[in-house]
Amino acid sequence: MRHEAKKIAQIVSEILTLFLLNGAENIDIKVNTKVSPNEQNTEIIIIQYECEYEEEFIQKMKYNLNTQRQYEIEGYYWQLVGEDDSGDELHLVGAMVDKANVTKIGKELHIQLFRKA
């Protein structure tokens, strides 16, 4: 489970870095983890307030976060997340999550990520 905690932290860090590099000033992050004897499920909720991203940027984010999860190479990917200062490694995050919802409600950008360990 130690590696799983680090993977969750890297996912959160990558999205937070992207937002901060794009001028975000008010961000909420919530991580819900449910552990059972057989599995661990994690939901990550990130809300950026006063979001002024263009629709094209949001659609690109949605596309990259919904890259099909790639279990077979995840062990390699999670160590790469955060290595590039460009903040544009969402395709790596997308390869580490099972599902992503990205919605803009007024001036709030909501990102909801689901991951099964």
Side-chain angles (χ1 to χ4, degrees), residues 58-102:
I58 294 170
Q59 290 302 319
K60 181 181 176 187
M61 183 183 303
K62 189 181 295 190
Y63 175 81
N64 285 333
L65 288 174
N66 279 295
T67 302
Q68 185 175 355
R69 185 163 177 190
Q70 301 178 30
Y71 292 94
E72 63 278 0
I73 52 179
E74 183 178 300
Y76 178 69
Y77 269 178
W78 81 270
Q79 295 176 26
L80 292 177
V81 174
E83 291 297 316
D84 184 2
D85 288 339
S86 72
D88 192 18
E89 295 177 347
L90 291 183
H91 61 284
L92 295 178
V93 172
M96 295 173 59
V97 298
D98 295 295
K99 182 180 176 187
N101 296 320
V102 180

Side-chain angles (χ1 to χ4, degrees), residues 11 16 20 30 33 39 52 56 68 75 85 87-88 90 102:
I11 290 168
L16 179 61
L20 292 173
K30 184 175 184 180
T33 302
E39 67 181 8
E52 297 185 13
E56 182 179 338
Q68 185 175 355
D85 288 339
D88 192 18
L90 291 183
V102 180

Side-chain angles (χ1 to χ4, degrees), residues 14-25:
E14 185 59 33
I15 294 175
L16 179 61
T17 300
L18 174 68
F19 285 172
L20 292 173
L21 288 174
N22 282 284
E25 296 177 349

